[in-house]
Every structure is written in C-alpha cells, then in structure tokens.
Amino acid sequence: MARRLPQTSLLETFEAAARRGSFTLAAADLNMTQGAVSRQIRALEDQLGTKLFIRERQRISLSPAGTAYLEEISKALSIIRMASTSLQVNPDGGVLNLGILPTFGTRWLAPRLPEFFRRHPGITVNLTTKLRPFDFSSEMLDAAIHFGSDDWPGTEHLFLAEETVVLACSPTLLPQLNLETVEDVAKGPLLHLATRPLAWQRWFEMNGLVTEVEPGTTFDQFATMAQAAAHGLGLALLPEFLIEDELRSGKLIAAWDKANKSIGSYALIWPRSRRSHPPLIRFREWIEEEVAEAL
C-alpha cells in the first residue's frame, strides 16, 4: 500500500500545475524550478502508470485521466489542509463542521451554543446553513441537522424532536377572519414555505378537510414568513419552538385551538465514517441533553 500511495508533495505539484495550466506558473507558486515540477509530474505519472497531461510543444493540458484524478485529489488535499490547520489552531480540541437549517440554527441552536463551548472550550464549531438536504459525499461536513426523513444511505442519526406546528397570525388580523371552521381557514390568506409545498394540504387533511389549497405569498425561510405573519400579511404554519418569543410577546397568536404534529421530525445525521469523530461525539451528547429539556 505504501508503494502505491503517492507522496503528498507530488500530488500538490500536480494540483498546482493542473490549476495553473502551466509547469512554469506552478513552479513560481511552489517556489520550485520548472524542471523540478516537470520531474515530479513525470514521477507521479510513472507511479500511476498513466499520463496526466497532454504535452504539445510549450503547452500542457489535462488528459481525461488527469481531469478525473484532479477532481478526487483536490478533495483529498482540501481535507488534509483543513485537518492540519484545525490541529494547529486547536490542538487540544478539534473542529466540528455542522450543517444546519437557517431558522433552526438562528432561533434554537445559536442561543444554546455558548453552553456547549463552556463545557468544551477546545472545540470549534463551523456552521453551514442550507435550505436543501446536505450531500455528505460532496460537502465537507461531519454532521447536519435535518428536517424530514432520516433514511440517507451510509448515515446514522439521532432523533431530536417531532415538530409541532402552530397556525399563527397577527392579533390584528385574527378578528377580521372569523375562523370558526377549517373551511374558514382555507379561505384565508395563506402564507407558504417553498421547501414545504405540501404543508397546508397536509394540515387541512389532518383537520378533516380535503380541499384545493389557495396560492399565496411564498417564502424561502421560516424567519421571514414569521415576520410577514406578525405584520398581518396572512396565516402561517410555523414550528412552535421557533416562534416562542413572538407568541410570548404577543406579536403572533395561535389562530386555531389545536396544535398538530407536522409530517416529519428533526434529526442530527452524520456519515458512518464520522461516528467516532471526537467533537461529534461531544456534540451528540450535548444536543441530546438540550432537546430533552427544551423540545
């Protein structure tokens, strides 16, 4: 195995030459001579048994094999660089690269993170927000907090909580709507979330009504939809734990006397390959305690 694994220096030289499209420019970036770059590329090609570059007079271009190899090698070198930097910056802790949903991250997780850092001062948490599901095969994440199904191939998960949604609106709008039946709700101005296009349909079905859902203003995040609802723009289906402050202050009120379980739950998901990552273990233990108390 050791004989088949190229030296990191050869891979870095290859990456620089491929990125710059020139042995001469790569040599300047690496503080080497052009001849040394050429020799290292030859050595790598000999070890791999294939040509990585097509050489035409004074120009070079990646071969098909070189193009495919560059894509994989760039990922590997990026991981090595990140791990090395993290170790230098934080030798006694480690880094957790965590994907989060925007509103969950800002409303629920961020206010609680100081307690995690107090318990584990050596650990750094890097947060990446995204509205769509994360792809562990292409994104350098140790774990992600996700809403919905947890049947991602090659992963494990920790259930966090079912989501209870509240039909909410502003206190000034509610008297205008006269919501006595589910049919009355269906006639009201409905606010929609782009990532949950079937939310209203499911809510009506859970309340015994099969109906065509009226179109309405659509938002990409819960936070902006909650603000719009608070300003009287319409009725919104909002996770209860994300609007605790608005309900407490009276900016939003529950417009229906029933709380319904949403179709889905929150989970912390991680690739099996990261299950033993120490910062992830500490974070799993901590967030399990937090959700037991808060959700």
Side-chain angles (χ1 to χ4, degrees):
M1 286 295 294
R3 294 193 192 119
R4 293 198 297 270
L5 185 64
Q7 295 178 359
T8 304
S9 59
L10 299 184
L11 300 177
E12 289 182 317
T13 301
F14 163 67
E15 183 191 42
R19 174 171 46 83
R20 298 288 264 163
S22 164
F23 289 172
T24 301
L25 294 177
D29 289 348
L30 299 171
N31 197 25
M32 299 167 59
T33 65
Q34 188 272 345
V37 169
S38 181
R39 287 192 294 274
Q40 288 205 358
I41 297 297
R42 291 284 187 189
L44 181 59
E45 290 176 327
D46 290 343
Q47 186 172 355
L48 296 173
T50 188
K51 294 295 182 183
L52 300 173
F53 290 96
I54 299 171
R55 297 163 176 82
E56 296 177 337
R57 298 180 183 176
Q58 300 301 314
R59 300 177 59 188
I60 63 167
S61 60
L62 283 169
S63 68
T67 299
Y69 194 55
L70 174 65
E71 183 177 351
E72 298 301 323
I73 288 304
S74 294
K75 294 178 187 176
L77 288 176
S78 180
I79 292 171
I80 293 171
R81 291 180 186 123
M82 183 177 293
S84 300
T85 300
S86 297
L87 183 62
Q88 291 170 338
V89 172
N90 197 0
D92 298 322
V95 174
L96 176 68
N97 295 306
L98 179 68
I100 58 172
L101 299 167
T103 307
F104 186 96
T106 57
R107 293 293 188 96
W108 191 89
L109 182 61
R112 291 169 170 82
L113 275 179
E115 174 60 20
F116 175 77
F117 293 136
R118 187 190 66 79
R119 293 193 199 180
H120 307 287
I123 294 177
T124 298
V125 178
N126 296 326
L127 300 176
T128 299
T129 58
K130 194 174 180 182
L131 294 171
R132 300 294 177 183
F134 296 90
D135 183 357
F136 290 118
S137 66
S138 62
E139 300 176 75
M140 289 182 291
L141 295 172
D142 300 305
I145 294 175
H146 172 68
F147 175 83
S149 62
D150 51 29
D151 56 347
W152 294 4
T155 65
E156 299 172 342
H157 73 277
L158 170 68
F159 169 81
L160 297 180
E162 290 287 345
E163 181 190 77
T164 300
V165 293
V166 175
L167 176 58
C169 69
S170 74
T172 56
L173 178 63
L174 184 59
Q176 304 173 33
L177 299 178
N178 191 27
L179 301 181
E180 296 183 357
T181 66
V182 182
E183 287 78 6
D184 294 332
V185 176
K187 297 174 185 176
L190 306 181
L191 306 183
H192 300 262
L193 191 70
T195 54
R196 299 191 187 181
L198 300 178
W200 277 111
Q201 180 181 328
R202 290 171 175 167
W203 187 88
F204 285 126
E205 289 174 355
M206 285 188 292
N207 284 279
L209 177 65
V210 177
T211 183
E212 290 291 327
V213 177
E214 292 294 326
T217 306
T218 301
F219 302 84
D220 65 346
Q221 295 186 32
F222 274 125
T224 50
M225 188 163 71
Q227 286 296 314
H231 285 89
L233 197 60
L235 297 164
L237 293 174
L238 296 165
E240 186 174 22
F241 77 92
L242 293 180
I243 56 169
E244 290 175 343
D245 290 343
E246 287 84 351
L247 292 173
R248 190 178 303 113
S249 66
K251 291 180 180 179
L252 286 171
I253 60 174
W256 196 246
D257 61 0
K258 297 179 182 178
N260 296 116
K261 292 287 185 180
S262 180
I263 308 299
S265 59
Y266 289 92
L268 177 68
I269 301 179
W270 60 91
R272 292 194 188 103
S273 60
R274 303 302 289 163
R275 67 168 61 147
S276 300
H277 184 46
L280 176 56
I281 294 173
R282 302 285 86 78
F283 186 81
R284 284 201 309 256
E285 295 170 344
W286 170 78
I287 198 170
E288 189 170 19
E289 294 179 12
E290 287 294 314
V291 295
E293 296 177 4
L295 296 182

